[in-house]
Amino acid sequence: MKIVLLYVLCTVSFLLALSMNTTGAFVFFLIISLGMLLWARIETKIQTDRRNAEIRRRAEELVEEVSYTEYILSSDFLNALIMDEVTTTLYIANREDVDSRFERKKYPFTKILEAAIVEDGRILSLFPKDGLLGGERERGPEIYVVNSNDEANKESEDETVSKLSLKMVVNDLSNPTVEYVFMENEESLTKDSDEYKEVFKLCNDWHQKISVIIKRYEYTRVPIRQWH
């Protein structure tokens, strides 16, 4: 209500400024109008920040209902990637809106087979390199190793990206490929923008964590052969 009143006063002051016959009166009411507009925008930002803080607090409470050692929460508070090293479990949590509860899918560390950073459908980094996701090369995208080619990085400075995700292959025949989206925008970001670099760093950090998990458990998945 306060914000609406401020915008109304801003409009009234502006109309009064236009109706004034003297320069002094015009400037006076114009300053009042601009002041009301600035005040209204500040109040709007304060209320938005408070609302987002409350949504974040509730989202974090829901995410922390399960045991965890670390997690990340998407900027829209609708998705979360949760890791628990105590129970050796990875969770991907999703929900439709900020008023609903998260639906969590559980993946034991031993069932995570591959991890890849995917940028607009193109695989940038794949572990292990000879994994199943490597077959996507035949469908078009090439496989790159992050930071392995300085020239490729220079050529990509002017490129834009609309989606960045972490894709994993898990030992689940019903749904063998799962994905956590770090960024998906209608308006693409340039690769050299600070916002994209920050998101990419976060995605790369989690890719490295999951690669370590895959490496740690790869030998436990090798069938035991009889001694001859």
Side-chain angles (χ1 to χ4, degrees):
M1 185 65 186
K2 180 179 180 181
I3 295 174
V4 174
L5 180 59
L6 287 171
Y7 278 115
V8 170
L9 292 174
C10 171
T11 303
V12 171
S13 299
F14 182 72
L15 293 175
L16 285 173
L18 294 178
S19 66
M20 292 297 105
N21 295 324
T22 63
T23 303
F26 171 79
V27 171
F28 174 75
F29 283 105
L30 182 61
I31 291 174
I32 292 177
S33 177
L34 293 175
M36 291 295 177
L37 179 61
L38 179 60
W39 189 1
R41 289 186 175 180
I42 292 173
E43 288 293 332
T44 300
K45 185 178 185 307
I46 290 173
Q47 288 196 14
T48 300
D49 290 344
R50 286 175 179 171
R51 183 168 60 253
N52 287 340
E54 178 61 21
I55 293 173
R56 173 177 285 277
R57 184 190 65 79
R58 294 201 304 266
E60 290 176 345
E61 287 180 352
L62 292 173
V63 168
E64 294 172 5
E65 287 180 348
V66 297
S67 175
Y68 71 94
T69 51
E70 61 181 314
Y71 67 85
I72 53 172
L73 188 62
S74 62
S75 58
D76 59 6
F77 312 114
L78 299 180
N79 307 285
L81 188 59
I82 311 165
M83 181 182 294
D84 183 19
E85 294 189 58
V86 177
T87 61
T88 62
T89 305
L90 184 75
Y91 299 89
I92 296 180
N94 309 99
R95 59 179 178 172
E96 293 296 326
D97 54 67
V98 295
D99 295 320
S100 59
R101 299 183 65 84
F102 284 102
E103 293 184 5
R104 292 184 293 268
K105 294 183 179 179
K106 177 179 178 180
Y107 305 99
F109 286 179
T110 55
K111 290 192 175 183
I112 304 174
L113 307 178
E114 299 177 27
I117 297 174
V118 183
E119 182 185 79
D120 286 344
R122 182 180 64 176
I123 295 178
L124 296 186
S125 182
L126 173 65
F127 184 87
K129 295 179 183 178
D130 57 349
L132 297 174
L133 290 174
E136 294 191 7
R137 178 189 299 179
E138 299 175 358
R139 295 191 290 274
E142 297 183 9
I143 298 176
Y144 299 92
V145 178
V146 176
N147 294 331
S148 66
N149 192 325
D150 292 338
E151 292 182 0
N153 291 335
K154 290 179 181 179
E155 291 175 357
S156 67
E157 286 181 355
D158 296 329
E159 293 182 7
T160 59
V161 180
S162 59
K163 182 178 180 180
L164 181 70
S165 63
L166 181 64
K167 184 178 288 187
M168 291 170 283
V169 173
V170 296
N171 190 3
D172 182 357
L173 294 178
S174 63
N175 188 24
T177 305
V178 296
E179 184 179 35
Y180 181 82
V181 178
F182 281 82
M183 181 196 78
E184 188 169 17
N185 299 328
E186 292 183 1
E187 296 185 4
S188 301
L189 300 177
T190 58
K191 284 189 174 184
D192 60 344
S193 66
D194 292 338
E195 184 178 354
Y196 178 75
K197 288 179 180 178
E198 182 178 350
V199 175
F200 184 84
K201 182 180 183 304
L202 184 61
C203 180
N204 192 40
D205 288 346
W206 276 84
H207 177 258
Q208 291 178 356
K209 296 176 195 293
I210 294 173
S211 296
V212 170
I213 290 171
I214 295 171
K215 186 67 176 178
R216 182 186 300 170
Y217 290 95
E218 67 176 342
Y219 295 111
T220 66
R221 292 189 288 266
V222 176
I224 300 175
R225 296 180 175 84
Q226 292 182 346
W227 290 94
H228 294 288

